[in-house]
Amino acid sequence: MSDANGVARDQLRAFIERIERLEEEKKTIADDIKDVYGEAKGVGFDTKILRKVIQIRKQDKDERMEQEAILDTYLQALGMIELPPDAE
């Protein structure tokens, strides 16, 4: 039975160490991304808009079109945009 406990303990330790390494890699990557945003901001790009563009690029075309249609509907309802004359 002690061998089984030793194996389970070794497996657990291996999982924990892998997760710790991956967490460190994730932090390094997050720092790298932050640096790239800083560079972009330094040359005049709006980082808030860059983040939005990246979010949009992750969506598939249908999902993006659906969200844009809903946004347009809400903006129209609030009087923030007007319908084109031929759309009424």
Side-chain angles (χ1 to χ4, degrees), residues 7 10 14 32 47 49 68 70 83:
V7 170
D10 291 344
D32 290 347
T47 57
I49 300 303
E68 288 174 0
I70 293 169
L83 285 171

Side-chain angles (χ1 to χ4, degrees), residues 45-56:
F45 289 103
D46 184 321
T47 57
K48 188 175 180 180
I49 300 303
L50 288 176
R51 291 179 194 278
K52 185 67 176 172
V53 169
I54 290 168
Q55 177 189 16
I56 290 169

Side-chain angles (χ1 to χ4, degrees), residues 3-87:
D3 273 351
N5 287 336
V7 170
R9 183 176 40 243
D10 291 344
Q11 270 188 316
L12 176 60
R13 182 176 287 119
F15 282 129
I16 296 298
E17 289 171 355
R18 284 174 54 198
I19 291 168
E20 289 172 340
R21 281 192 303 273
L22 290 169
E23 288 291 341
E24 184 58 36
E25 289 176 25
K26 183 169 72 169
K27 182 187 178 313
T28 301
I29 290 170
D31 289 343
D32 290 347
I33 291 170
K34 183 178 176 182
D35 290 344
V36 172
Y37 278 114
E39 289 177 39
K41 184 175 184 176
V43 296
F45 289 103
D46 184 321
T47 57
K48 188 175 180 180
I49 300 303
L50 288 176
R51 291 179 194 278
K52 185 67 176 172
V53 169
I54 290 168
Q55 177 189 16
I56 290 169
R57 286 173 53 105
K58 288 179 183 178
Q59 298 172 341
D60 69 8
K61 183 180 177 182
D62 293 336
E63 180 184 6
R64 185 174 66 244
M65 290 175 59
E66 179 182 351
Q67 284 188 5
E68 288 174 0
I70 293 169
L71 177 61
D72 285 348
T73 301
Y74 287 7
L75 293 176
Q76 289 169 13
L78 294 170
M80 297 175 71
I81 60 173
E82 293 183 24
L83 285 171
D86 59 337

